[in-house]
Amino acid sequence: MNKQSNVYTIIYSSVMVIIVAAVLAFAALSLKAPQQRNIEIDKMKQILSSIKVTATADDAQQLYKKYIIGSKVIDAAGKEIADADAFNVNVAMQVKLPDAQRQLPIFIAKVEDGSTKYIIPMYGAGLWGPIWGYLSIDSDGKTVYGAYFAHQGETPGLGAEIDKPAFYGQFCGKDLFAGGDEFKSIAVQKAGQKPLNGADYVDAISGGTITSKGVEAMLSNSLKPYETFLKTLQTQQIAE
């Protein structure tokens, strides 16, 4: 075949495209399992961070099995949803639904002192992209034990500070039912200000107002549907 002909050029180009496509498809399939495993390990590390356990890629699975003693998915009425896997619930999709239609994952942990904590995943929007996190709550159903936040692309030194202990450490000990029997989400306020509704609050990030308010909105939207469940925990503690 004449290598200078148009037919040769077309055939050669087509063959190369097919070969490259086949190689890329093979590579994607080969990497899919390791990539999924890395995603799962990272999620385990984040869940553990909310109960103040630091994990690495090497020991995350071991520590997760040690501290996370169970999980479940409930609805807004507090009823457990059968055959639902808490670890695989897409929280980013669930927070867009009305409360009554959501699947609400809960991870149950037992920490070193033997006490039980309930971990709730959260998802929201920052200034430049999604933000997310986990909040662990004591068995009294109202006191925050620990928190963890992350982001996709917030501004370094400003909104990106939500993933630093100096920010999320403020949530420890905060009350989700401050001053009464009704749920009051934790506010994120400019330093020196307090929420008018009497809710517990933390200081916002200086220069990161929009991201800070994104965290506040995420907390409210993600936690409010769990109110019935949290009240059930409170009732159980009183009964004990």
Side-chain angles (χ1 to χ4, degrees):
M1 181 180 292
N2 183 3
K3 294 184 178 182
Q4 304 302 319
S5 68
N6 290 335
V7 173
Y8 177 84
T9 301
I10 293 172
I11 293 175
Y12 179 83
S13 299
S14 299
V15 171
M16 290 303 297
V17 168
I18 292 171
I19 292 174
V20 171
V23 171
L24 290 176
F26 176 77
L29 290 173
S30 300
L31 294 173
K32 185 175 182 180
Q35 287 174 340
Q36 183 60 34
R37 179 175 176 274
N38 289 338
I39 291 172
E40 292 175 354
I41 288 175
D42 189 53
K43 185 172 182 177
M44 291 178 186
K45 289 167 59 181
Q46 294 180 27
I47 291 172
L48 290 168
S49 290
S50 74
I51 53 170
K52 307 173 186 177
V53 174
T54 301
T56 66
D58 294 327
D59 61 12
Q61 290 175 303
Q62 178 184 352
L63 292 174
Y64 188 85
K65 291 179 180 178
K66 175 182 178 180
Y67 290 102
I68 306 302
I69 60 173
S71 63
K72 60 183 176 179
V73 180
I74 62 171
D75 60 22
K79 182 179 179 181
E80 187 168 354
I81 300 173
D83 301 323
D85 181 3
F87 196 84
N88 290 315
V89 170
N90 188 333
V91 178
M93 294 298 295
Q94 295 300 316
V95 296
K96 298 176 183 178
L97 300 174
D99 290 1
Q101 297 179 20
R102 293 191 198 179
Q103 292 186 348
L104 307 171
I106 299 171
F107 301 93
I108 305 166
K110 182 162 288 188
V111 296
E112 291 294 347
D113 66 3
S115 60
T116 301
K117 312 299 176 186
Y118 297 88
I119 303 168
I120 295 175
M122 304 172 292
Y123 193 91
L127 174 60
W128 301 113
I131 56 176
W132 63 91
Y134 295 88
L135 198 75
S136 62
I137 301 168
D138 286 338
S139 56
D140 65 3
K142 60 180 182 178
T143 306
V144 175
Y145 176 73
Y148 173 83
F149 299 111
H151 63 90
Q152 182 170 296
E154 299 306 290
T155 307
L158 299 174
E161 295 298 301
I162 64 171
D163 66 5
K164 300 296 191 296
F167 177 70
Y168 62 72
Q170 298 180 86
F171 288 82
C172 299
K174 298 300 180 180
D175 189 346
L176 295 173
F177 290 77
D181 298 326
E182 296 304 315
F183 172 81
K184 291 181 181 178
S185 185
I186 300 168
V188 182
Q189 298 285 127
K190 184 177 180 180
Q193 296 183 354
K194 297 181 180 180
L196 297 177
N197 65 351
D200 245 342
Y201 63 97
V202 300
D203 289 341
I205 298 166
S206 179
T209 302
I210 295 178
T211 306
S212 297
K213 286 303 176 183
V215 171
E216 181 178 80
M218 175 178 70
L219 287 163
S220 179
N221 183 37
S222 299
L223 299 178
K224 175 62 177 176
Y226 289 87
E227 181 173 3
T228 297
F229 168 74
L230 296 174
K231 286 184 174 180
T232 298
L233 292 180
Q234 295 172 29
T235 301
Q236 290 174 350
Q237 187 180 62
I238 292 172
E240 293 174 356

